[in-house]
Amino acid sequence: MEEEARSFLGSFVEEFPAALEDGSPLPVSPLSRKVTLEELHGESLELGLRLLAARGAPAGLSALLCQAALSQLLQNDLSPFHCAQEAGHNQEEEQPVVLLQSDAVQRLFLTKLIEVTLAWHQDFPKHPPSRFLHCSVHAIKNTRRKMEDKHLALAEFNQLFGIQSGVDCAYYAVFDGHGGVDAATYAATHLHVALSKQETLQSDTATAFKSAFKHTDDMFRGKAKRERLRSGTTGVAVLIQGQQLSVAWLGDSQAILVREGQAITLMEPHKPDREDEKQRIEELGGCITFMGCWRVNGTYAVSRAIGDFDQKPYVSGDADCSTTQLLGDEDYVLLACDGFFDAVKPSEVPHLVLDALHQSVDPEGGGDATLEQSEDTVGLRVAQQLVSHAKAAGSSDNITVMLVFLRPLKQLLAQNSSTGTAQDAPQQ
C-alpha cells in the first residue's frame, strides 16, 4: 500500500509542482458559490476527495491528505474571503450569517492540499493501516428526467476526521432526493461531517446519529432560505465501528443486513401510512391523503426528510437509529433507495446477490465459480446486476444500490444460491 501511495504522490506533484496561480482556473469546481464557515468543512473535503479520486489516489491516502489540508486551512485568517453583507438584511430579525466566497477560499484549500502532497512526497509519514471492506455500488437515472440520488462510501472515516479512538469506523449512506437534487447533495456532503463532531459518537452512536441528522437539516434550512431552494431528501446511513453496526434513517430509503444468507431487518422505513407516522402527523393538525400513493397533506410521499421546509413539522427531520452487534458471520449490509425496494422485497435480496456473484465469476455457467478476477471487479458487478433486476421488475425511479461486504466474497460463493444457506463456508 505504501508503494501505491508513493507512486500516486509522484504523479500528483508532477501535475501540481507548485501552488495554484492566482486567476488560473481551479482543477475542480466547488459545489457552491458561497458557503458558511461550517459548510466549508464538508465542501472542502468533498472537493479534495473528488480531485484526488479523479486521479486514482488510494482512498486511505486521499482521506489523510484532505484532513491535513483542511486542518491547515482552518488555521488561516479567512476574513479576506468574507462576502459583503447583502443590502436589506434586517439585523434585528436574525443574526447575520457570514458567508465565504467559495472559489477564493477553495483555491487556498487546494494550495494547502498541494503543499501537503509535496511535503509527503519528500518525507512520507507512517500511518497505521485501516480496516478494508469491499463496497459495490451502482446508481442509474432510469426513466426519470433527472438523477436526484446521491451516495457516499467512506471506509476511511477515522482518517478523514483525524479520529484516533483505536476503533476502525466506516460510513456508508444513500440519499434519495425529490423536488431537485440540492438536499441530497447537501446531506451527502455534510451529514458525515456533522456526525464526526458529535461528542457521543463513541459512547452513544444512536444519539450522535440523530443529532447529526437534525443538525444537517437545520444547516440546510439556512442554505435553502438564502438560495430559495425547495427540495428534500430521504436518507439511510450506516456506521460500522469495530463489531458494532448502526443504521440511521429518514424516510423510505432502507438498509438490510444479510447473515449466512438470511435477510435481517434493521429498520422500518418512514412512510405516511405507517400507523405511528399517520398518528403523529394528524396530532400536529396535518392529514394523510391517497393521491396515487399516500401523501402528507396531499404533497410529499414521505413522512420524514431533510428539507421539505414548507411541510415541516409534518414532514419530520427527526431520524431513527438502531444498533446491531456483528457476530462475525454476517455476509453484507445493503443500502438502497425506494427505487430499488419498491420493486424488490428484502427477502429476495440474498438470492439475488448470490446469483449475481456466481454470474460475475462464471458468466457462462459452464464450470466451478472461481475468483480469478479481483474481488473488486466481481463485487462491483453485483450492484449493477441488482439495479438491472429492479429496473426489469418495473422500477421507473432513480435506483441506487450499495453493498458493503463484511466477509470475503469466496465465502459468499460457497453459499447455495438456490437456498440462501451457507455450505461449509469458513466462519470469520
Side-chain angles (χ1 to χ4, degrees):
M1 298 297 288
E2 182 176 332
E3 182 179 348
E4 183 184 8
R6 288 183 180 276
S7 175
F8 170 78
L9 291 172
S11 62
F12 190 85
V13 298
E14 286 184 9
E15 183 180 1
F16 300 101
L20 299 175
E21 296 181 3
D22 289 342
S24 63
L26 295 180
V28 61
S29 299
L31 288 176
S32 305
R33 290 176 53 249
K34 299 177 181 179
V35 294
T36 65
L37 180 60
E38 187 171 29
E39 291 170 340
L40 180 63
H41 293 216
E43 294 223 4
S44 295
L45 293 175
E46 190 278 339
L47 188 80
L49 292 175
R50 184 154 40 97
L51 174 75
L52 295 170
R55 285 154 179 79
L61 177 64
S62 292
L64 292 166
L65 288 170
C66 289
Q67 194 276 331
L70 180 62
S71 295
Q72 292 189 17
L73 174 69
L74 296 179
Q75 293 173 18
N76 280 64
D77 175 15
L78 301 180
S79 59
F81 307 108
H82 288 185
C83 301
Q85 185 173 318
E86 294 184 5
H89 181 86
N90 189 338
Q91 295 189 15
E92 295 181 359
E93 292 184 2
E94 58 181 279
Q95 187 70 22
V97 175
V98 175
L99 296 175
L100 307 173
Q101 291 284 359
S102 281
D103 275 7
V105 74
Q106 295 299 6
R107 182 180 298 277
L108 179 58
F109 168 72
L110 292 175
T111 294
K112 298 298 182 184
L113 183 61
I114 292 170
E115 289 174 352
V116 172
T117 306
L118 290 169
W120 288 16
H121 181 243
Q122 294 297 323
D123 185 15
F124 187 74
K126 293 289 185 180
H127 296 286
S130 60
R131 177 184 184 183
F132 178 74
L133 299 172
H134 285 285
C135 179
S136 176
V137 60
H138 190 58
I140 64 169
K141 180 168 66 74
N142 209 357
T143 63
R144 291 295 177 94
R145 188 168 60 90
K146 294 181 179 180
M147 179 57 167
E148 296 177 333
D149 287 358
K150 290 291 180 180
H151 63 269
L152 178 64
L154 185 59
E156 305 77 21
F157 186 86
N158 286 6
Q159 289 84 349
L160 189 63
F161 298 111
I163 297 172
Q164 298 178 342
S165 64
V167 179
D168 282 330
C169 294
Y171 170 94
Y172 305 90
V174 169
F175 302 97
D176 182 0
H178 49 266
V181 74
D182 297 298
T185 299
Y186 198 89
T189 304
H190 296 289
L191 177 61
H192 56 297
V193 181
L195 181 63
S196 74
K197 296 178 180 180
Q198 299 300 315
E199 293 182 358
T200 62
L201 180 60
Q202 307 297 329
S203 60
D204 186 354
T205 307
T207 296
F209 244 140
K210 291 176 182 179
S211 297
F213 265 93
K214 182 63 175 172
H215 188 69
T216 303
D217 191 36
D218 289 341
M219 286 174 62
F220 183 61
R221 183 188 293 272
K223 183 180 179 70
K225 186 174 182 179
R226 291 192 305 271
E227 301 182 12
R228 295 178 175 84
L229 306 176
R230 292 177 55 86
S231 62
T233 185
T234 67
V236 59
V238 164
L239 186 71
I240 301 174
Q241 299 169 287
Q243 294 304 111
Q244 177 180 288
L245 183 151
S246 299
V247 55
W249 71 98
L250 282 173
D252 53 9
S253 294
Q254 297 184 57
I256 64 169
L257 179 67
V258 173
R259 174 184 289 139
E260 294 189 316
Q262 301 298 317
I264 308 296
T265 300
L266 297 175
M267 51 162 287
E268 184 180 358
H270 301 124
K271 297 186 177 182
D273 57 331
R274 206 177 92 175
E275 191 56 40
D276 57 343
E277 287 292 275
K278 182 174 182 290
Q279 181 178 346
R280 175 184 65 80
I281 292 165
E282 289 178 344
E283 287 179 350
L284 288 169
C287 65
I288 302 299
T289 57
F290 190 83
M291 301 173 64
C293 62
W294 290 103
R295 295 181 180 273
V296 178
N297 296 333
T299 57
Y300 301 115
V302 296
S303 58
R304 300 198 190 191
I306 288 173
D308 294 337
F309 300 114
D310 60 321
Q311 288 295 330
K312 288 284 196 295
Y314 311 107
V315 175
S316 172
D318 296 329
D320 278 332
C321 183
S322 69
T323 299
T324 302
Q325 289 299 125
L326 299 176
L327 306 176
D329 57 354
E330 291 81 10
D331 300 334
Y332 51 86
V333 59
L334 179 144
L335 299 81
C337 61
D338 69 326
F340 177 77
F341 282 111
D342 283 350
V344 178
K345 297 178 181 178
S347 60
E348 298 178 86
V349 167
H351 300 291
L352 292 173
V353 170
L354 284 174
D355 286 345
L357 276 172
H358 283 285
Q359 179 65 24
S360 295
V361 299
D362 187 23
E364 303 301 324
D368 293 333
T370 61
L371 279 179
E372 294 179 356
Q373 310 159 76
S374 72
E375 289 198 348
D376 283 338
T377 302
V378 172
L380 285 173
R381 293 177 179 171
V382 176
Q384 292 175 351
Q385 293 197 43
L386 290 180
V387 168
S388 295
H389 179 86
K391 182 177 181 179
S395 176
S396 60
D397 200 355
N398 300 155
I399 306 175
T400 299
V401 172
M402 179 185 293
L403 292 102
V404 182
F405 294 100
L406 301 176
R407 54 175 169 167
L409 300 187
K410 61 184 178 182
Q411 294 187 12
L412 301 186
L413 284 167
Q415 294 179 346
N416 188 304
S417 61
S418 65
T419 65
T421 57
Q423 291 187 338
D424 302 323
Q427 298 298 302
Q428 197 175 32

